[in-house]
């Protein structure tokens, strides 16, 4: 079949560059002409002060080893293989001499189950996080330990690295008798990121809660926050702080940490576990594969929100698990307990010191209330009917006692599909105040969906976009997110809150990418996405000023590409592959009676011919793609038989395959075999185009057909139409929104140019009387630029533009986000 030739003008070429479909043009002087028209007399949507915020979840070691400033890892010897199969109670510790972790009646307290029994003349050394304990020359560090010794003992506490001592050793005299807390201070004599803390005992002793804190923490010394990380959040001036999750909230057991539950480790995050003296707080298995100490707990979250001027927005379990677990807990007594816990949480935040939980807050050091106004129930539940039944009970109880609290619901884990549609239908039916939407999609999706909220019901529930990101930390990701954010602001009457997610990632403990702020034990750095968020969050404005812009002309050809087969954490067998063109002519046929010479293996896994089938046999491998055919194919039918043999998920059939990062695939039995969807990958980032609930049976052979016509795709499963979609939405690279800052009187013209050509733009301010100079804040970089510990190619630049008038021309650089702050006279 001959290749069809398509002709493009400069603007269309720019569009395809932005979409990642063709290389960037060589001529930097290329420009595309646009026009922006502003209507300053019209009244747009009001933008709340809380429009943009941050979402903190303990993922990627964001808490212990991260924002929580504790330098000792596993300080209470509570690590367990319940947290991670590789863990023991002595993980990150090395014993010299004789020492063992004990769980008996001699423990520090009932909720702190383990302690270290150290023999006379023995020592224990902690390795900290990352490369070790980080200390800086001249800085002070507070050491503390709970200890007991029947006959008393002397502890020698040292800080050292491979090159020698990092501080003068300190002696701690442990009195004869029961548990007591002992403290000493260190001043570091050298800077090191490879430090080790050693505690040696002259006589037999029991140790627990071995701690080392920098004195220089954010705002508060005791149980404090790591200063550089907290300051990066504060610099965003967020309107709200959502915490503590995320999947931490709606996974695991809903039981408490007590003898009655046999000291259940794998629990949902429950706020009462996390307050009070740190040595009495529960431990827990973190959903993301490690331990969380709860040193950073609800009290610290509330204090942090207050310190950075953000509205606190906690999320509590709804007793419907999610994040792949998908189980509705059916226990009326347990549900009532969690509802009461939620009422107690509101009292803890807002109650007077004379109330039970307000008194507890005051005892912790904060007699004044925290002014809680919003509270989320649940997170990404995949069972919307069961979730709503429980949500209604939470809301009824909260409204009965605290009618001014906004109770936030959610719409599941995706931006569309059966779960999303059902959840929204129920939320509208129940007249929910606010719905939390979450989605992680490709940059292409964000460029295509700027108008997502244009058609939302203005009288229906408001939207909290609680988690979103475009699957990467390159500047092209930030550009796509910025373009999308102009649509959030334009629809500020519907979208009331929005937060990128996740917030933090320790570079040596990563479970999720991308992330807003990256760090290790001695440094932190802002991602390109962070710089975009900061630009928007610190230049919000109070009201939208209606404006329009011309679009980028584009021509789209048909969906083109080869075909492919893949698996994800599954073994599967494929057979009888046939590809025919629109006229029925055969392009590819393979019954695997011979070899697999037609197929190119570009993914992981292990493929082989077995009994006349093409089999992928590695049950742990993800994305095992093999492809065949011509990347110029279009308008074709793909037929194949697929059989799941074992594993957690189903199988994948790909079409429109251009290369390893650009393709479509029908993911049958994905997401732990709970739903099927068509996903589009662009430069490696995936977006969901259509999805439905459903699972794939092991051992059953399915007949699959994909019909591609132009940009229309129809999918058939066992001869029945499963679904269809038309991928013809333009990925518009030029987006704008205009807002007004009531305090300064500024018009803020915000323009995203996510293409590799400059955008020469005629701006008509609609007769507004303005000063001739504008303050310009811009981000411009190579679209593939990534910030790191040592390099910051994506950083804001501030300048002045002197050519402002009622009508003027401004050229927005290629690959840029530009804010023009224009004074009105």
């Amino acid at each position: 079949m001959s290749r069809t030739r398509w002709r493009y003008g400069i603007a269309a070429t720019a569009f395809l560059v932005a979409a990642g479909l063709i290389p960037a043009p060589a001529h930097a002087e290329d420009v595309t002409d646009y026009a922006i028209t502003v209507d300053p007399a019209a009244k747009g949507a009001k933008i709340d002060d809380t429009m943009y915020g941050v979402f903190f979840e303990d993922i990627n070691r964001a808490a212990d080893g991260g924002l929580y400033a504790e330098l000792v890892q596993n300080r209470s010897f509570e690590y367990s293989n319940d947290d991670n199969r590789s863990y023991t109670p002595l993980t990150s510790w090395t014993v010299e001499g004789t020492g063992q972790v004990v769980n008996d009646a001699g423990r520090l307290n009932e909720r702190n189950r383990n302690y270290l029994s150290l023999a006379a003349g023995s020592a224990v050394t902690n390795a900290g996080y990352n490369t070790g304990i980080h200390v800086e020359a001249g800085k002070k560090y507070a050491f503390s330990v709970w200890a007991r010794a029947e006959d008393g003992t002397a502890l020698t506490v040292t800080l050292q690295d491979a090159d020698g001592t990092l501080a003068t050793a300190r002696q701690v005299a442990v009195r004869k008798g029961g548990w007591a807390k002992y403290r000493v201070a260190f001043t570091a004599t050298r800077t090191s990121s490879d430090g080790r803390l050693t505690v040696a005992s002259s006589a037999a002793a029991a140790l627990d809660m071995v701690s080392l804190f920098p004195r220089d923490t954010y705002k508060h010394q005791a149980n404090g926050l790591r200063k550089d990380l907290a300051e990066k959040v504060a610099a965003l001036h967020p309107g709200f702080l959502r915490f503590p999750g995320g999947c931490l909230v709606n996974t695991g057991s809903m039981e408490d940490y007590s003898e009655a539950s046999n000291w259940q480790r794998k629990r949902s995050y429950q706020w009462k576990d996390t307050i009070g003296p740190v040595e009495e707080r529960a431990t827990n298995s973190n959903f993301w594969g490690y331990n969380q100490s709860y040193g950073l707990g609800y009290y610290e979250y509330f204090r942090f929100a207050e310190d950075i001027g953000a509205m606190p927005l906690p999320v509590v379990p709804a007793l419907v698990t999610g994040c792949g677990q998908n189980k509705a807990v059916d226990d009326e007594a347990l549900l009532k307990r969690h509802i009461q816990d939620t009422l107690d949480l509101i009292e803890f935040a807002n109650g007077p010191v004379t109330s039970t939980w307000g008194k507890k807050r005051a005892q912790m050091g904060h007699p004044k209330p925290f002014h809680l106004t919003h509270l989320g129930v649940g997170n990404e539940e995949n069972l919307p009917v069961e979730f709503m039944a429980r949500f209604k009970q939470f809301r009824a109880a909260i409204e009965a006692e605290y009618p001014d609290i906004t109770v936030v619901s959610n719409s599941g884990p995706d931006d569309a599909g059966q779960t999303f549609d059902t959840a929204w239908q129920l939320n509208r039916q129940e007249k929910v105040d606010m719905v939390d939407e979450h989605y992680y999609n490709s940059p292409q999706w964000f460029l295509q969906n700027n108008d997502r909220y244009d058609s939302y019901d203005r009288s229906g529930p408001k939207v909290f976009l609680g988690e979103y990101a475009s699957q990467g930390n390159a500047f092209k990701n930030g550009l796509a997110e910025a373009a999308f954010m102009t649509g959030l602001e334009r629809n500020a009457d519907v979208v009331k809150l929005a937060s990128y997610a996740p917030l933090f990632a320790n570079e040596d403990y990563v479970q999720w990418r991308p992330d807003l702020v990256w760090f290790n034990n001695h440094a932190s750095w802002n991602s390109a996405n962070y710089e975009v968020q900061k630009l928007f969050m610190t230049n919000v404005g109070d009201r939208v000023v209606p404006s329009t812009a011309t679009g980028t002309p584009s021509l789209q050809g048909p969906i083109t590409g080869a075909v492919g087969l893949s698996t994800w954490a599954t073994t599967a067998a494929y057979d009888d592959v046939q590809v025919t063109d629109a006229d029925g002519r055969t392009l590819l046929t393979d019954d695997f009676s011979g070899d697999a010479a037609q197929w190119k293996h570009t993914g992981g896994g292990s493929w082989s011919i077995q009994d006349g089938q093409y089999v992928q046999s590695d049950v742990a491998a993800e994305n095992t793609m093999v492809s065949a055919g011509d990347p110029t194919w279009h308008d074709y039918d793909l037929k194949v038989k697929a059989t799941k043999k074992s594993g957690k998920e189903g199988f994948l059939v790909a079409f429109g395959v251009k290369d390893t990062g650009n393709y479509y695939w029908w993911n049958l039995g994905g997401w732990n075999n709970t739903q099927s969807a068509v996903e589009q990958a662009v430069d490696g980032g995936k977006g969901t185009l259509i999805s439905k609930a459903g699972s794939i049976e092991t051992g059953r052979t399915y007949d699959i057909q994909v019909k591609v016509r132009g940009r229309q795709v129809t999918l058939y499963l066992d001869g029945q139409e499963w679904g269809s979609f038309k991928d013809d939405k333009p990925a518009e690279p030029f987006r704008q929104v205009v807002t007004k800052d009531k305090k300064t009187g500024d018009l803020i013209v915000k323009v995203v140019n996510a293409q590799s050509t400059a955008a020469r733009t005629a701006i008509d301010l609609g007769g507004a009387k303005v000063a001739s100079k504008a303050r310009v804040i811009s981000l411009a970089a190579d679209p593939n630029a990534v910030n790191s510990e040592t390099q910051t190619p994506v950083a804001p630049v501030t300048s002045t533009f002197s050519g402002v008038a009622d009508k003027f021309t401004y050229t927005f650089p290629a690959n840029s986000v530009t804010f023009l702050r224009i004074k009105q006279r």
Side-chain angles (χ1 to χ4, degrees):
M1 186 174 292
S2 63
R3 177 178 297 192
T4 303
R5 295 182 178 271
W6 297 92
R7 299 175 61 87
Y8 304 94
I10 289 175
T13 303
F15 164 74
L16 290 176
V17 168
L21 301 178
I22 64 174
H27 303 291
E29 69 273 12
D30 286 349
V31 293
T32 307
D33 288 326
Y34 295 89
I36 294 174
T37 303
V38 183
D39 185 357
K43 203 170 187 180
K46 180 181 181 297
I47 306 175
D48 295 341
D49 292 340
T50 52
M51 174 73 182
Y52 295 121
V54 292
F55 164 46
F56 181 93
E57 179 175 13
D58 187 1
I59 184 175
N60 309 313
R61 288 280 191 187
D64 295 335
L67 183 62
Y68 186 51
E70 174 65 77
L71 297 173
V72 175
Q73 184 174 178
N74 190 18
R75 67 182 177 187
S76 193
F77 309 101
E78 296 291 342
Y79 276 28
S80 163
N81 57 17
D82 279 341
D83 311 325
N84 187 297
R85 281 181 293 181
S86 68
Y87 281 2
T88 75
L90 281 171
T91 292
S92 80
W93 292 98
T94 303
V95 175
E96 291 183 43
T98 302
Q100 61 179 340
V101 174
V102 180
N103 179 345
D104 65 14
R107 63 179 65 89
L108 181 60
N109 59 66
E110 279 295 288
R111 289 162 70 82
N112 197 326
R113 309 290 294 167
N114 291 348
Y115 64 93
L116 180 69
S117 176
L118 202 59
S122 298
V124 63
T125 298
N126 190 264
Y129 297 93
N130 301 88
T131 56
I133 291 171
H134 175 71
V135 296
E136 295 181 36
K139 293 284 184 74
K140 293 186 180 297
Y141 297 85
F143 170 84
S144 64
V145 63
W146 282 82
R148 64 174 170 80
E150 290 186 10
D151 299 316
T153 189
L155 302 179
T156 302
V157 188
T158 57
L159 268 172
Q160 69 285 324
D161 63 10
D163 295 327
T165 60
L166 294 169
T168 303
R170 301 302 305 270
Q171 298 292 320
V172 176
V174 176
R175 299 182 297 273
K176 179 179 179 178
W179 289 103
K181 187 175 184 179
Y182 300 90
R183 300 178 177 89
V184 293
F186 288 98
T187 300
T189 55
R190 289 191 295 115
T191 295
S192 174
S193 296
D194 308 308
R196 300 291 187 269
L197 176 75
T198 298
V199 181
S201 182
S202 60
L207 306 179
D208 206 344
M209 296 295 291
V210 183
S211 173
L212 186 69
F213 259 91
R215 281 277 173 84
D216 189 19
T217 57
Y218 183 72
K219 299 272 187 174
H220 313 288
Q221 290 185 5
N223 208 43
L225 304 182
R226 180 170 150 175
K227 191 173 183 180
D228 62 324
L229 296 182
E231 286 178 343
K232 280 179 164 47
V233 179
L236 295 169
H237 299 287
F240 65 88
L241 171 66
R242 176 179 176 242
F243 62 89
C247 289
L248 303 186
V249 168
N250 69 334
T251 55
S253 167
M254 299 295 163
E255 299 289 344
D256 61 4
Y257 189 61
S258 67
E259 186 175 7
S261 71
N262 196 29
W263 307 104
Q264 174 62 248
R265 296 282 297 230
K266 296 185 176 182
R267 309 183 314 284
S268 63
Y269 196 110
Q270 300 174 44
W271 78 273
K272 288 180 179 178
D273 288 340
T274 76
I275 63 166
V278 290
E279 68 273 9
E280 295 177 11
R281 298 183 188 183
T283 187
N284 201 358
S285 173
N286 182 293
F287 172 82
W288 298 108
Y290 51 91
N291 177 273
Q292 52 190 6
S293 71
Y294 288 144
L296 178 59
Y298 257 72
Y299 177 77
E300 289 74 30
Y301 286 128
F302 278 121
R303 286 294 295 263
F304 186 40
E306 182 179 68
D307 286 342
I308 61 178
M311 175 182 81
L313 205 166
V315 183
V316 299
L319 273 72
V320 178
T321 57
C323 301
Q325 297 183 359
N326 303 336
K327 178 184 176 184
V329 179
D330 190 15
D331 184 326
E332 193 63 29
L334 193 58
L335 176 62
K336 287 181 178 178
R337 193 268 286 176
H338 275 268
I339 291 173
Q340 185 59 52
D341 282 354
T342 303
L343 297 175
D344 293 344
L345 169 60
I346 299 170
E347 184 176 286
F348 177 77
N350 294 349
V353 295
T354 54
S355 67
T356 300
W357 292 99
K359 181 179 180 181
K360 184 87 63 178
R361 181 193 69 240
Q363 289 171 342
M364 293 186 71
H366 201 281
K368 293 182 179 179
F370 284 120
H371 306 294
L372 176 67
T373 60
H374 290 63
L375 184 144
V377 175
N379 170 76
E380 293 188 7
E381 281 72 27
N382 250 324
L383 302 172
V385 174
E386 293 85 346
F387 164 75
M388 185 54 67
R390 289 153 180 79
F391 174 86
K392 286 163 59 178
Q393 294 187 61
F394 276 87
R395 185 178 64 170
I398 294 168
E399 288 182 344
E401 288 199 36
Y402 303 102
D404 294 334
I405 296 290
T406 298
V407 187
V408 182
S409 178
N410 74 81
S411 59
D414 299 306
D415 61 89
Q418 188 173 336
T419 296
F420 178 87
D421 291 341
T422 302
W424 259 105
Q425 179 184 356
L426 293 169
N427 282 312
R428 284 190 293 266
Q429 180 179 305
E430 297 300 331
K431 294 182 170 53
V432 168
D433 288 331
M434 185 173 285
V435 177
D436 187 2
E437 291 190 352
H438 295 178
Y439 38 82
Y440 297 91
N441 288 315
S442 67
Q444 169 111 340
W445 185 94
F446 282 94
L447 291 174
Q448 289 176 319
N449 284 276
N450 177 272
D451 63 350
R452 175 179 176 87
Y453 296 106
D454 291 1
S455 59
Y456 270 50
D457 182 1
R458 273 34 212 172
S459 62
K462 302 305 180 185
V463 172
F464 171 23
L465 181 49
E467 297 183 32
Y468 72 99
S470 71
Q471 301 175 339
N473 278 142
F475 187 47
K476 63 185 176 185
N477 299 96
L479 286 168
E481 291 154 5
F484 189 74
M485 291 170 79
T486 65
L488 299 183
E489 291 193 4
R490 188 176 64 253
N491 289 284
D493 58 328
V494 169
V495 183
K496 307 305 288 184
L497 308 169
S499 51
Y500 180 102
L503 179 59
F504 286 125
N506 185 323
E507 66 174 351
D508 293 331
Y509 307 94
V510 180
Q511 291 88 40
W512 186 280
R513 298 172 188 267
D515 303 282
L516 205 61
V517 176
W518 288 80
F519 65 93
N520 51 37
N521 67 355
H522 62 275
S524 58
W525 54 98
N526 303 332
S527 67
N529 318 68
Y530 174 97
E531 297 298 349
V532 165
Q533 292 291 322
K534 184 178 180 182
L535 187 57
F536 275 83
M537 293 168 79
T538 55
N539 295 278
V540 183
D542 302 285
R543 187 173 291 278
V544 175
V545 181
S547 64
T548 58
T550 53
T552 306
S554 64
L555 286 174
Q556 285 187 321
I559 292 174
T560 61
V563 298
L565 312 171
S566 189
T567 61
W568 196 289
T570 307
T571 66
Y574 289 95
D575 203 357
D576 296 334
V577 177
Q578 185 178 36
V579 182
T580 55
D581 69 13
D583 297 323
R585 292 188 295 264
T586 298
L587 302 176
L588 171 73
T589 182
D590 202 335
D591 63 3
F592 304 107
S593 58
D595 58 27
Q598 297 187 87
W599 298 87
K600 180 182 178 183
H601 187 187
T602 57
S606 177
W607 289 88
S608 61
I609 302 290
Q610 298 179 22
D611 299 324
Q613 294 180 312
Y614 202 17
V615 178
Q616 197 293 112
S617 55
D618 185 344
V619 74
E622 299 177 346
N623 194 1
T624 64
M625 179 86 83
V626 291
S627 61
D630 190 327
T632 66
W633 282 350
H634 61 85
D635 298 295
Y636 58 77
D637 289 89
L638 163 63
K639 294 181 179 179
V640 60
K641 295 183 185 297
T643 308
K644 173 182 175 178
K645 296 171 74 68
S646 66
K648 295 191 296 186
E649 305 214 345
F651 37 74
L652 304 110
V653 175
F655 54 98
V657 178
K658 298 181 184 302
D659 52 45
T660 56
N662 295 276
Y663 53 85
Y664 301 80
W665 68 16
W666 189 4
N667 186 349
L668 289 143
W671 296 271
N672 283 325
N673 205 15
T674 61
Q675 62 179 308
S676 298
V678 176
E679 298 176 279
Q680 181 186 16
V682 178
D683 291 340
K686 295 191 193 74
T688 300
L689 300 178
I690 179 174
S691 69
K692 293 183 179 182
S695 59
I696 293 298
E697 298 175 26
T698 301
R700 175 182 164 188
T701 298
Y702 292 83
D703 286 315
I704 296 166
Q705 181 181 358
V706 180
K707 182 178 181 179
V708 181
R709 295 292 183 271
R711 302 199 70 80
Q712 177 76 36
V713 178
T714 309
L715 307 114
Y716 301 87
L717 189 61
D718 289 334
Q720 300 295 314
E721 184 175 328
W722 177 86
S724 65
F725 67 92
K726 192 170 186 179
D727 182 25
D728 61 351
K729 201 169 187 180
E732 173 61 62
F734 185 85
R735 296 291 188 186
Q736 101 299 333
V737 70
V738 180
T739 65
K740 182 177 180 179
D741 186 327
K742 185 169 62 175
K743 184 177 180 181
T744 64
D746 289 359
L747 284 177
I748 312 173
V749 179
K750 311 175 186 183
V751 176
V752 180
N753 183 26
Q755 59 189 331
S756 295
T757 55
R760 184 172 53 211
T761 307
I763 301 176
D764 183 346
L765 295 179
K769 298 187 185 309
V770 293
S772 61
K773 291 184 178 180
R775 180 167 172 253
V776 183
I777 314 163
S778 62
L779 296 168
D782 184 282
N784 294 310
V786 176
N787 288 350
S788 67
E789 181 181 353
T790 57
Q791 293 183 314
T792 313
V794 182
V797 174
T798 302
S799 60
T800 301
F801 175 68
S802 300
V804 179
D806 176 35
K807 296 180 180 179
F808 66 101
T809 298
Y810 191 93
T811 299
F812 295 95
N815 301 307
S816 67
V817 185
T818 306
F819 283 20
L820 302 175
R821 295 196 64 119
I822 302 170
K823 292 281 186 190
Q824 293 192 93
R825 292 187 301 187

